[in-house]
Amino acid sequence: MQKIFFTFFYILPLFLIITLLNNKIVFGQNIERLKSKLNTETTVEQTNIRVDLAKALLYRSPDEAYKYASEALVIAEKLNYELGKADAWTYLGNLEALSKGLPEKAYEHHEKAYYVYRKMYEAQIIDKWRIYEFLNESAIPSYKYVADLNSKKKTYKKAIQKYEKLNAEFTQYLTAIAQESKNEILVKETKISENAEKLNEKEKKLTEKEEKLKTTAIKLKEKENTERKLIIDKVLLSGTIQKKEIEALALSDSLLRQELLVKEQALILDRQKNEAENAEKEKLLQEAEKKQAQAEVAKQRTVTISLFIGLAAMAIGIFFVFTGLQKQKRLNGLLNKKNEEIELKKQEIELQHHELQQATEEIESQRDYLTILNEEINVEKDKSEHLLNNILPKQIANQLKETGVVTPQYYEQATVLFTDFKGFTNIAEKLSPNEVIEELGKCFLAFDEICEKYNLEKIKTMGDGYMCAGGIPNANHSNPLDAVRAGLAMVEFMQNLKEEKSGNGQEIWEVRVGIHTGALIAGVIGKNKFAYDIWGDTVNLASRMESSGEAGRVNISGDTYELVKDFYNCTYRGKIQAKNKGEVDMYFVNNVE
């Protein structure tokens, strides 16, 4: 327990501190490396280096970042380097919005950057993620930061109004990028499926090759065993030949010894005869000569026999030697042929092994490529999901991602709220188009915030009309009260705005609010540009409540009144003629009961 305590309260914080210090050191080294490349040349590279420094120092040293962005803009304008100018305007705008307190200048720079990026994107010079990065990480965050300050300075109000106008174009492009990303994901998923099928076929072929190699290896093993047996037979045959030669030589030596023995015996006999018959030489001369002749004949016969036996032994030895040499020659030929076949098989195996290794490397490369594609698809899916969640309710966006379609939903009880401005046409004729858009944007932005506060879903705007609903897409029982609270808040906002404008001698519209509760159907329409919408008599009757109401008042139907009467003080208006609906009970909401 003490070790665990020590790890969490001493070692873990120390590790985090070391990691942060290391990141800070690496970050500082990157900045110093960029600064070391700076010079006074007017080149695209010097523009990009200064843009990178401005990006790196954006939060760490805003003044220094502003200086580098300004220098990058000067160089890019001299070179007429459009992408460099857009990058420089982007970071000048970020710094002017976030740290310089110059919202109008920020808007001007972001507007210039946006139109350059848009032009280059439509010309396919940059990809969609470059403009997505600009919108999602620079322009829109700067607009939200300026809007969140809620400053009453005139410069901030003008900047917010300009940003709101440009933000409408931002939303269109983000929607288009989301749809394009979805299409690209489908194409890449198709390619991945095709590559996976090809890989499976290659793996199947490799398996077949491996089986063939195993069979070839077994055959080679059998051939090696056969060759070893042939070599052993050769050795045994060679030993037999040597044995025959030795036997032939032994036979020849035996004959020579016999010849010598015969000669020695003949000499002994001669000496004995000479000694015994010395006195009878003449008498026995003819007998001795006869015996001597017989001995010579025997001698010649013995020599002849010995010579014949020697020649026969030599012939036999030569025959065996010649036969052994012929066999050895044939064996050597067979061995050389087998060795050549083995060498060829080895080369074939090495070639197949090399091919197998190349195929394995190719498969690994394909797998790495598939991994990269999957990572890219996951990144693009995350971006698409983020864009989709900005356009549709989260629950509806999830259903669209999972099934590709959104099933229309029937809601037993939902409350629809409509607003419209009294005198819009008369006052709008006195204003410029830009002023009309600015005033409408300010009102609708406030209505959006009120809807979010009271759990209502904004449906759409129609000219100077605004529609929202409670109890969708997530059904609840509090939607009538939520809608009435929101309607009163909208009326209060417009009354405060009217007082502010009246003090400056300006005219402002007055709002009518109509509310009705009942059943409706909600779903998504559109193929390329999605829109969440609602349908049914409840929607139509809510619109009639608004058109039959009065400026500065919240007009509700009898159905809604029955659900909120215990919480609000209402004034009964009697049965009032509603367009296309006949007489309908209507009530004005006064205040909380």
Side-chain angles (χ1 to χ4, degrees):
M1 192 67 184
Q2 290 179 348
K3 289 182 178 180
I4 296 173
F5 179 83
F6 181 79
T7 300
F8 276 92
F9 289 92
Y10 292 95
I11 296 179
L12 187 59
L14 181 61
F15 173 75
L16 293 174
I17 291 170
I18 292 172
T19 302
L20 290 172
L21 289 174
N22 182 60
N23 291 339
K24 187 174 182 182
I25 291 169
V26 172
F27 182 75
Q29 289 174 346
N30 290 336
I31 291 175
E32 292 303 321
R33 179 178 58 79
L34 289 171
K35 287 183 178 179
S36 67
K37 295 181 180 180
L38 290 173
N39 57 47
T40 57
E41 295 179 0
T42 304
T43 63
V44 170
E45 182 183 7
Q46 289 298 312
T47 304
N48 293 336
I49 290 172
R50 284 166 171 79
V51 168
D52 290 340
L53 281 168
K55 182 179 180 180
L57 296 168
L58 183 65
Y59 300 105
R60 188 176 184 182
S61 179
D63 292 337
E64 195 174 0
Y66 197 79
K67 183 191 80 168
Y68 285 122
S70 301
E71 291 176 359
L73 180 60
V74 171
I75 297 173
E77 287 177 339
K78 288 181 180 179
L79 296 171
N80 197 25
Y81 175 33
E82 292 297 319
L83 185 58
K85 288 194 286 186
D87 290 340
W89 283 329
T90 296
Y91 292 110
L92 286 173
N94 292 351
L95 290 161
E96 287 160 351
L98 301 176
S99 60
K100 294 290 183 180
L102 301 170
E104 286 192 287
K105 291 285 288 182
Y107 164 76
E108 291 175 4
H109 285 142
H110 281 154
E111 184 183 36
K112 290 179 180 179
Y114 168 67
Y115 286 116
V116 171
Y117 284 135
R118 174 178 166 180
K119 180 179 177 182
M120 298 182 78
Y121 168 60
E122 292 174 350
Q124 297 185 347
I125 298 173
I126 61 174
D127 61 21
K128 61 180 177 294
W129 299 121
R130 189 67 177 267
I131 192 169
Y132 172 82
E133 181 182 359
F134 163 73
L135 294 174
N136 218 38
E137 297 181 10
S138 294
I140 294 176
S142 296
Y143 157 58
K144 290 183 177 179
Y145 176 78
V146 172
D148 289 343
L149 289 177
N150 199 22
S151 176
K152 294 184 178 179
K153 292 182 180 179
K154 188 175 182 180
T155 55
Y156 276 85
K157 291 182 178 180
K158 288 184 178 180
I160 291 172
Q161 293 168 357
K162 292 177 179 179
Y163 266 123
E164 287 172 351
K165 178 183 176 183
L166 193 61
N167 188 49
E169 292 190 40
F170 293 169
T171 303
Q172 290 179 359
Y173 256 79
L174 289 174
T175 304
I177 290 171
Q179 184 60 36
E180 184 180 347
S181 299
K182 182 179 178 182
N183 295 336
E184 289 179 358
I185 288 169
L186 292 174
V187 172
K188 287 188 177 181
E189 286 179 345
T190 302
K191 288 183 178 179
I192 287 173
S193 298
E194 293 174 354
N195 289 335
E197 291 178 359
K198 291 180 180 178
L199 283 175
N200 289 333
E201 291 178 1
K202 287 186 177 180
E203 286 181 351
K204 185 177 179 181
K205 290 181 180 179
L206 286 174
T207 303
E208 292 175 356
K209 283 188 176 182
E210 286 178 355
E211 292 297 329
K212 290 181 180 178
L213 286 174
K214 288 179 181 178
T215 305
T216 303
I218 292 170
K219 291 181 179 178
L220 285 175
K221 189 68 176 179
E222 293 175 354
K223 287 184 179 179
E224 287 178 359
N225 293 334
T226 303
E227 289 165 2
R228 287 195 189 97
K229 186 176 179 181
L230 288 172
I231 292 169
I232 292 169
D233 292 342
K234 176 182 174 183
V235 172
L236 292 174
L237 179 60
S238 177
T240 303
I241 292 170
Q242 291 178 359
K243 184 177 179 181
K244 294 292 183 179
E245 289 176 348
I246 292 168
E247 289 176 354
L249 291 173
L251 179 59
S252 178
D253 289 342
S254 176
L255 292 172
L256 289 173
R257 282 195 300 272
Q258 288 179 6
E259 182 180 357
L260 291 172
L261 182 60
V262 171
K263 286 182 178 180
E264 185 178 359
Q265 289 176 353
L267 289 173
I268 292 169
L269 287 173
D270 287 340
R271 283 197 299 272
Q272 289 176 354
K273 286 179 181 180
N274 287 331
E275 290 177 357
E277 297 176 354
N278 192 24
E280 297 177 350
K281 285 184 179 180
E282 292 180 354
K283 184 180 179 180
L284 298 174
L285 181 61
Q286 292 180 353
E287 186 178 353
E289 288 177 353
K290 184 179 179 181
K291 288 182 180 180
Q292 187 176 359
Q294 290 176 348
E296 287 177 358
V297 171
K299 180 181 176 183
Q300 289 177 355
R301 187 181 297 164
T302 303
V303 171
T304 301
I305 292 171
S306 299
L307 182 61
F308 177 78
I309 293 172
L311 290 173
M314 286 180 64
I316 292 171
I318 290 170
F319 172 79
F320 280 113
V321 170
F322 178 78
T323 304
L325 289 174
Q326 288 296 106
K327 286 184 178 180
Q328 187 174 4
K329 186 177 179 180
R330 286 198 302 273
L331 287 173
N332 288 336
L334 289 172
L335 287 174
N336 291 334
K337 188 176 180 181
K338 293 298 180 182
N339 287 333
E340 289 175 357
E341 290 178 358
I342 290 171
E343 192 65 27
L344 289 174
K345 290 295 182 182
K346 285 182 178 179
Q347 292 177 0
E348 184 179 352
I349 289 172
E350 288 176 357
L351 180 62
Q352 291 176 348
H353 179 71
H354 181 66
E355 291 176 352
L356 181 63
Q357 188 174 6
Q358 284 183 334
T360 302
E361 291 174 355
E362 184 179 354
I363 289 173
E364 290 297 326
S365 176
Q366 290 289 336
R367 283 176 178 167
D368 293 339
Y369 177 67
L370 289 176
T371 301
I372 293 171
L373 283 179
N374 283 328
E375 291 174 354
E376 291 178 355
I377 287 172
N378 289 333
V379 171
E380 292 180 358
K381 279 184 177 179
D382 291 340
K383 292 178 180 178
S384 299
E385 288 176 2
H386 178 70
L387 293 175
L388 204 58
N389 288 331
N390 286 338
I391 298 170
L392 302 175
K394 187 174 181 180
Q395 177 182 340
I396 302 303
N398 290 337
Q399 184 180 358
L400 184 63
K401 286 183 291 183
E402 292 172 0
T403 64
V405 295
V406 176
T407 305
Q409 288 285 331
Y410 174 79
Y411 293 89
E412 185 70 30
Q413 178 185 298
T415 302
V416 181
L417 183 151
F418 272 86
T419 72
D420 188 53
F421 294 120
K422 178 183 177 182
F424 172 82
T425 303
N426 294 333
I427 298 176
E429 288 175 353
K430 301 175 184 178
L431 301 174
S432 67
N434 287 339
E435 289 174 336
V436 172
I437 295 299
E438 289 174 2
E439 291 298 328
L440 276 177
K442 182 186 298 183
C443 295
F444 288 162
L445 178 62
F447 290 179
D448 288 347
E449 293 174 350
I450 291 170
C451 286
E452 184 176 358
K453 180 179 179 180
Y454 292 105
N455 197 28
L456 300 184
E457 187 67 31
K458 176 185 177 180
I459 305 302
K460 59 185 173 182
T461 59
M462 305 143 294
D464 63 322
Y466 184 96
M467 180 172 68
C468 59
I472 61 168
N474 296 318
N476 58 46
H477 297 290
S478 64
N479 57 83
L481 291 171
D482 296 336
V484 171
R485 291 192 192 101
L488 292 172
M490 292 175 182
V491 170
E492 183 180 4
F493 169 80
M494 293 304 298
Q495 288 175 347
N496 294 336
L497 185 61
K498 179 180 180 181
E499 292 174 3
E500 179 183 344
K501 294 286 185 179
S502 298
N504 297 329
Q506 297 175 326
E507 292 181 283
I508 189 64
W509 310 300
E510 293 181 282
V511 68
R512 289 192 301 265
V513 179
I515 299 173
H516 175 63
T517 304
L520 55 78
I521 297 173
V524 174
I525 59 172
K527 181 179 180 182
N528 296 325
K529 294 184 179 180
F530 303 111
Y532 184 67
D533 208 346
I534 55 178
W535 304 272
D537 286 338
T538 298
V539 179
N540 298 331
L541 192 53
S543 178
R544 300 296 179 265
M545 290 296 104
E546 174 273 321
S547 61
S548 301
E550 294 180 5
R553 303 298 298 271
V554 177
N555 189 35
I556 65 176
S557 68
D559 291 342
T560 304
Y561 168 77
E562 292 299 325
L563 296 169
V564 303
K565 64 183 181 181
D566 295 333
F567 303 92
Y568 288 93
N569 181 17
C570 301
T571 300
Y572 177 61
R573 302 181 63 197
K575 294 185 180 292
I576 296 179
Q577 187 73 26
K579 187 177 180 181
N580 297 331
K581 289 294 180 181
E583 291 186 343
V584 178
D585 289 332
M586 298 185 187
Y587 296 81
F588 278 142
V589 180
N590 298 319
N591 49 43
V592 178
E593 189 67 47

